[in-house]
Amino acid sequence: MEQVFAPWRIEWVERDDREADDGDGNGTDGPDCPFCRLPAAGADRERRIVARSEHAFVLLNNYPYNPGHAMVIPSRHTGDFGALSDAELLDHARLKARTLDALEAAFDPDGFNAGLNLGGSAAGGSIDDHLHTHVVPRWSGDTNFMPVVADTKVIVEALDDSYDRLHDAFAGLDGVTVAGADEAVRVE
């Protein structure tokens, strides 16, 4: 695979809150789960947490398939979908619906891919012990020749710009509270 120069990624590499790993390869052992640590750390904008609800939050993916690639993540640490309470399931589903609305307003895609990686490494996910639903905006013709001929994916928008667009779109939805540009939008 070819290399793409991305100097803005150094901030992620040098962050202070890197997770410890016991060597099993998933990097998410116990309290070191990034999906548990990030929302507890504050600094929503810096952590790319765009929105929060009672039992879940929306995080921009640091390695997006497309601009706006977000994840809807239950606040409680579990890798077992069946372990979520009815309240957590409903809240997760509602926040996913609001995420689709916000992505539609921010990016005007032609469609979406949405799904969970369940079943550990066999399902293809890199974090298998904390559920998360990927929501990826898609456009007709958004696949191009680069992955085919150069084994390289081109992301056409910086993560900070995607954050701003999605945060503004969440802020424009009904039934939300906006504390500030650097805080996640609170979705009721």
Side-chain angles (χ1 to χ4, degrees), residues 53-141:
S53 62
E54 184 177 357
H55 298 288
F57 62 98
V58 178
L59 177 70
L60 268 182
N61 193 315
N62 276 318
Y63 303 99
Y65 292 115
N66 277 332
H69 178 174
M71 296 175 288
V72 181
I73 306 168
S75 298
R76 185 165 60 90
H77 183 91
T78 182
D80 180 2
F81 193 75
L84 294 175
S85 69
D86 288 347
E88 289 169 322
L89 283 168
L90 181 58
D91 187 65
H92 184 267
R94 284 184 173 159
L95 188 55
K96 185 170 41 178
R98 301 305 298 271
T99 300
L100 291 166
D101 291 342
L103 286 167
E104 180 72 38
F107 295 94
D108 192 30
D110 297 326
F112 296 96
N113 291 129
L116 297 135
N117 295 327
L118 301 173
S121 62
S126 61
I127 297 175
D128 59 10
D129 60 350
H130 195 139
L131 292 171
H132 53 286
T133 301
H134 291 266
V135 183
V136 182
R138 299 300 306 264
W139 291 267
S140 297

